[in-house]
Amino acid sequence: MEDANDTPGPQPDEAPVRVKAYVYRLYPTRKQESTLLWTLRRCKELYNASLEERTAAYKMADVSVSYGMQADQLPQVKQERLEYQEIHSQVQQDVLRRLDKAMRAFFRRVAEGQTPGYPRYKSNTRYRSFTYPQSGYTIIGALTPHDNKGKKTCRLKLSKIGHLKMVMHRPIKGSIKACTIKHDGDQWYAVFSVEQAIHSTPVHPSSKTVGVDVGITSYATLSTGEQIANPRIYRSTEQQIKEAHRKLSRRKRGSHRRNRAKRALTRLYRKVRHRRQDFLHQTSRRLVNQYETLVFEALQIPNMTARPKPKKEEIPITTEGSEGSTTAAAVPHYLPNGAAAKSGLNKSIMDAAWGRFITLCACKAEEAGGMVMKVAPQQTSQVCSGCGVLVPKDLSVRWHSCSTCGAELDRDENAALNVLRRYELQGALPVRKKGKPTRKVGRGGKRPTATGAL
């Protein structure tokens, strides 16, 4: 189960709701799998054709094509392309909504001065899901909260496709709002978006507050001195992934052997992803059940994993001409900037998935009546937690030793204590709100200046 990041606000005279996603494994037959793949390909074609229409209309006629204009053309598309009559109408509408969402995000980034990233055409490997946003799906024989079985085999009825075998490992609590069919390598999943009403605020059984310092040597160190070992999930499978990549590169494109090698590589990546997700869920659940308030550093992970800037140096070189004349020229030379070591550190940081871990803790704490707070991360490992004196130390130094007060403890534990004390003295950092675009696009009007990205 994955928790959504955004929770809709309460409506007048209505209880607030929480949005969740329940994921279940599907086991289609060969015929049903071919139908699912065929549906994915048609949805991909519709997405690419709609994107081409928007791009061409803006380049050639300076016209903005909206979702409503493209949705009105769907009946005509079905008349000209009869195969689209075999796809549920709301599935096709959701394809257009997906494109409209991507375009709106593009122009929002343009207005905010960010790197725009114009939506690109999808290939078969990049378009992996389609959605029934309102209707067209039914669960037959679903698992109920009163069932004693841990798992239950039921059927998922999809319009225009048929009855698919589905294994439910947990009952759905709430009102189902959408169903997404997702293709992951050689496996299929059903993702249900569920709204759960919040009738009362839960009370956490504990009143403890703990500071948490995430790291690489140990995954997390608590202010109580407890350390959570880093599983290094990707690192433990990295050699197998490299061998699978080499095997794939030696296969001829379009051959059956290449397809088998590609499926083997996909299974390895999926195994790594599932193992990491399982570790994050279990660790976050244990911490949320034990402590009411979890205090983390407000880490800027994209900045921490940024590529180091090249160090350029101009070397003057003097050359002699044919008539004895000399010419001076400067040849660029690049000095070592530690990029190799930094790439290894970046890989370990991404493998740890600190951002996902903090998000899961926040979602679980909200349900349990707890809180997740963030404080400024500056110099939490450099300041002594005993006397507050600055003790500079290199990243390779893993032990904190203060000559002023005589404090001797692990570097990460010292940082966790500083995180907790900073929260108790200064409070949490204010929540940063996402910026909104300053320029709006009117119906049929011109868009913000972004022709360079088209």
Side-chain angles (χ1 to χ4, degrees):
M1 181 188 68
E2 297 181 0
D3 299 292
N5 296 331
D6 299 329
T7 303
Q11 301 296 328
D13 300 330
E14 292 183 5
V17 296
R18 181 186 296 115
V19 180
K20 286 189 174 183
Y22 287 77
V23 184
Y24 302 104
R25 177 80 181 274
L26 294 175
Y27 294 88
T29 63
R30 289 188 177 181
K31 184 177 180 181
Q32 290 173 341
E33 185 174 12
S34 63
T35 305
L36 292 173
L37 291 173
W38 179 87
T39 304
L40 274 180
R41 300 293 84 80
R42 301 292 81 73
C43 291
K44 178 209 69 174
E45 291 178 2
L46 179 61
Y47 183 96
N48 291 339
S50 303
L51 177 59
E52 174 66 23
E53 181 184 20
R54 288 185 178 233
T55 306
Y58 182 74
K59 281 186 175 181
M60 301 174 62
D62 207 13
V63 175
S64 174
V65 178
S66 64
Y67 162 77
M69 297 168 61
Q70 291 186 323
D72 293 340
Q73 299 175 7
L74 286 179
Q76 183 180 357
V77 171
K78 292 181 181 180
Q79 295 297 328
E80 297 179 358
R81 299 282 301 275
L82 299 180
E83 60 269 25
Y84 280 94
Q85 296 180 6
E86 301 300 323
I87 302 177
H88 195 268
S89 59
Q90 292 189 4
V91 172
Q92 302 178 43
Q93 295 170 10
D94 182 78
V95 173
L96 300 181
R97 288 194 185 95
R98 184 182 300 188
L99 173 62
D100 186 67
K101 181 179 179 181
M103 296 298 297
R104 289 179 181 274
F106 164 71
F107 284 102
R108 173 184 58 79
R109 292 190 294 269
V110 170
E112 294 176 358
Q114 303 176 8
T115 303
Y118 189 75
R120 55 183 175 181
Y121 298 102
K122 302 293 185 181
S123 61
N124 292 342
T125 57
R126 290 186 176 272
Y127 201 96
R128 300 184 292 268
S129 65
F130 59 91
T131 303
Y132 293 84
Q134 294 177 349
S135 61
Y137 57 92
T138 306
I139 303 177
I140 303 175
L143 184 68
T144 63
H146 305 289
D147 290 337
N148 297 326
K149 298 180 179 179
K151 293 183 180 181
K152 183 178 181 181
T153 301
C154 58
R155 295 287 172 176
L156 176 62
K157 181 182 178 181
L158 298 178
S159 177
K160 305 288 187 177
I161 295 179
H163 296 69
L164 280 72
K165 178 182 175 182
M166 183 175 72
V167 174
M168 296 189 68
H169 58 279
R170 63 187 307 173
I172 295 178
K173 300 178 182 179
S175 176
I176 302 177
K177 296 298 180 181
C179 173
T180 299
I181 307 301
K182 182 179 178 181
H183 186 215
D184 184 5
D186 55 350
Q187 295 181 2
W188 293 87
Y189 296 90
V191 184
F192 296 96
S193 179
V194 179
E195 285 188 356
Q196 297 178 348
I198 305 175
H199 299 289
S200 61
T201 302
V203 179
H204 200 280
S206 174
S207 59
K208 299 179 181 178
T209 303
V210 67
V212 184
D213 177 73
V214 293
I216 299 297
T217 305
S218 59
Y219 187 82
T221 303
L222 309 185
S223 56
T224 58
E226 178 187 355
Q227 289 188 343
I228 301 175
N230 188 356
R232 291 180 171 84
I233 295 174
Y234 177 80
R235 290 291 194 176
S236 61
T237 324
E238 186 176 11
Q239 188 60 34
Q240 300 180 36
I241 292 177
K242 287 183 178 180
E243 293 176 0
H245 271 291
R246 286 195 291 266
K247 191 173 182 179
L248 177 65
S249 64
R250 291 194 295 264
R251 299 293 183 258
K252 183 179 179 180
R253 290 186 177 273
S255 64
H256 293 292
R257 299 181 70 204
R258 183 180 177 87
N259 291 336
R260 286 197 298 268
K262 190 174 183 180
R263 287 195 297 268
L265 179 61
T266 303
R267 283 193 292 268
L268 284 175
Y269 275 117
R270 182 170 58 239
K271 181 179 179 180
V272 169
R273 186 169 62 251
H274 287 179
R275 288 179 58 198
R276 181 186 295 116
Q277 194 76 350
D278 180 68
F279 168 77
L280 296 180
H281 273 291
Q282 292 193 28
T283 306
S284 59
R285 172 54 62 191
R286 183 172 66 84
L287 292 180
V288 167
N289 290 345
Q290 191 173 358
Y291 301 99
E292 181 185 17
T293 305
L294 302 174
V295 186
F296 293 91
E297 296 174 305
L299 301 175
Q300 300 296 327
I301 299 178
N303 297 341
M304 297 174 64
T305 56
R307 184 179 302 174
K309 295 182 179 180
K311 296 182 180 180
K312 189 175 180 180
E313 182 184 34
E314 300 289 343
I315 300 179
I317 295 180
T318 304
T319 58
E320 296 184 359
S322 58
E323 299 179 359
S325 60
T326 59
T327 305
V331 178
H333 175 68
Y334 292 93
L335 301 175
N337 63 345
K342 187 64 168 62
S343 64
L345 177 62
N346 293 348
K347 187 183 297 184
S348 298
I349 293 176
M350 300 304 292
D351 184 23
W354 296 333
R356 180 61 178 165
F357 174 65
I358 297 174
T359 300
L360 288 177
C361 287
C363 295
K364 296 181 189 301
E366 181 184 1
E367 297 179 8
M371 295 183 298
V372 167
M373 298 298 176
K374 295 182 180 181
V375 297
Q378 285 76 14
Q379 296 183 342
T380 54
S381 61
Q382 306 293 330
V383 176
C384 178
S385 59
C387 60
V389 175
L390 185 65
V391 183
K393 57 181 77 69
D394 192 72
L395 187 61
S396 59
V397 179
R398 308 310 305 172
W399 188 259
H400 172 77
S401 179
C402 181
S403 59
T404 303
C405 66
E408 297 284 342
L409 70 164
D410 185 80
R411 173 196 180 109
D412 295 336
E413 183 181 352
N414 176 73
L417 289 171
N418 285 328
V419 168
L420 178 59
R421 179 169 299 177
R422 189 167 295 180
Y423 169 71
E424 294 173 345
L425 297 178
Q426 304 177 7
L429 288 177
V431 179
R432 297 176 58 187
K433 296 183 178 179
K434 295 182 180 180
K436 296 183 179 180
T438 57
R439 290 170 287 180
K440 297 183 178 180
V441 182
R443 175 175 292 183
K446 293 184 178 181
R447 299 185 176 187
T449 304
T451 55
L454 290 177

